[in-house]
Amino acid sequence: MKKDQTPPDRRTVLRIAAGIGALATAGLLVTEGTGGRTVAPGPAVGGAGGAPGRPAAGAAGAAGHRARATAYRLQPMTGIPRGLRRVRPPVREHPFLSLPSAGRTMVLTFDDGPDHRYTPEVLDILARYDVPAMFFVCGEMADVNGDLVRRMADDGHVVGNHTWSHPLMPSLAPSRIRDEMGRTSEVVEELVGQAPLWYRAPFGAWNRHSFEIGAELGMEPLAWTVDTLDWTEPGAGTIASRVLDGAAPGVVVLSHDAGGDRSQSVTALRNYLPKLLEAGYTITVPQR
């Protein structure tokens, strides 16, 4: 054998290693619940408008939680084989507004919670129809409603990061943005055993620092396609109509389960969810 030839056993090892690397870096959008299927996510696209909705502060929990997130997830993770560590996502310039679809698929998202008054009802409705959703939680709310965060994960929902106290991130210094996002990721990981893989900027206000820090923390940015504007309390019928009128493959719907009186949002979900399913839509959640 010549010196520049690779021995057969070495070539085999290299092929296996390359295959593992390809699997580790591939992102997937997984459909759960009814009629599941898998599609690959596309590139992030254009920005999104704002949707105010400040959560009620969990003052005791927030004050008692020590700010220790500055170096969160910027150091190598331990206990995981070196070749299988999570790949840090790229730094985006825009959030995802929708997700690619295979057929009639949609994503339902709920911001600002969890809230003990409304989140349980939302979870009950989703469980009744056996569909998953995404919950972008605020750290100060998650810290005092940990049982609801655990239920979200146990029920198969995706728990995302919506910062600690719902600030306008472009007005913050990078260190404050890191603290807001890092503390929330820490709380979620402590509660469910995994840090969030997705985040959403409060008010839809993204900036370069939020994209950079989100990527450092291992998260992708997700905005929305259809804004129900439920925070304005326009009536359950109006909220439901906005979802049904905006329904289309790949659509991401923005609603809230906290931050005010969300009884209309709960009633609207009870109305539009079965109609979406009857129309042949499959409710999906992204998984990376």
Side-chain angles (χ1 to χ4, degrees):
M1 181 178 292
K2 297 180 181 178
K3 292 182 179 180
D4 59 351
Q5 288 181 310
T6 305
D9 58 340
R10 179 175 172 77
R11 287 201 301 271
T12 301
V13 171
L14 291 176
R15 290 194 191 100
I16 294 173
I20 293 175
L23 290 173
T25 56
L28 295 178
L29 174 65
V30 176
T31 298
E32 300 180 3
T34 56
R37 60 179 68 83
T38 301
V39 294
V45 293
R54 176 72 163 82
H65 194 284
R66 183 162 53 95
R68 48 188 168 85
T70 301
Y72 180 80
R73 285 214 178 281
L74 302 187
Q75 298 177 359
M77 298 166 61
T78 59
I80 300 177
R82 188 176 186 84
L84 298 180
R85 288 177 181 160
R86 186 196 308 170
V87 177
R88 181 183 298 178
V91 176
R92 304 293 184 182
E93 294 184 356
H94 303 285
F96 291 91
L97 293 181
S98 62
L99 293 174
S101 61
R104 295 166 69 81
T105 60
M106 291 177 59
V107 179
L108 303 181
T109 69
F110 299 88
D111 285 9
D112 295 358
D115 186 305
H116 68 277
R117 296 167 295 177
Y118 309 109
T119 304
E121 292 186 83
V122 171
L123 290 170
D124 288 345
I125 296 168
L126 296 173
R128 175 183 176 185
Y129 294 98
D130 190 25
V131 298
M134 300 183 73
F135 288 85
F136 287 92
V137 302
C138 289
E140 64 181 4
M141 300 294 285
D143 199 35
V144 296
N145 294 288
D147 57 328
L148 292 176
V149 178
R150 284 188 289 267
R151 181 182 171 187
M152 291 171 186
D154 290 344
D155 286 358
H157 305 298
V158 173
V159 181
N161 186 321
H162 201 40
T163 72
W164 183 266
S165 62
H166 206 276
L168 188 65
M169 288 204 287
S171 68
L172 303 181
S175 60
R176 283 285 310 284
I177 295 175
R178 188 183 306 279
D179 184 60
E180 285 277 339
M181 298 174 72
R183 290 176 70 191
T184 302
S185 285
E186 281 187 339
V187 167
V188 171
E189 183 168 26
E190 289 169 0
L191 290 170
V192 305
Q194 181 180 9
L197 298 178
W198 298 87
Y199 72 100
R200 175 173 285 166
F203 312 107
W206 314 79
N207 67 352
R208 178 174 58 84
H209 295 306
S210 66
F211 288 125
E212 292 173 347
I213 294 168
E216 289 174 356
L217 298 179
M219 298 184 292
E220 288 277 26
L222 180 64
W224 55 86
T225 319
V226 172
D227 188 349
T228 65
L229 297 174
D230 59 341
W231 58 273
T232 65
E233 301 178 27
T238 298
I239 296 170
S241 294
R242 286 169 178 163
V243 175
L244 296 172
D245 291 345
V251 158
V252 177
V253 178
L254 167 64
S255 299
H256 297 78
D257 63 324
D261 182 349
R262 298 295 173 245
S263 57
Q264 293 180 4
S265 304
V266 173
T267 301
L269 176 65
R270 191 177 289 115
N271 181 341
Y272 67 72
L273 180 53
K275 293 180 180 179
L276 289 176
L277 298 175
E278 289 169 5
Y281 283 100
T282 298
I283 307 304
T284 69
V285 292
Q287 205 169 59
R288 292 174 40 228

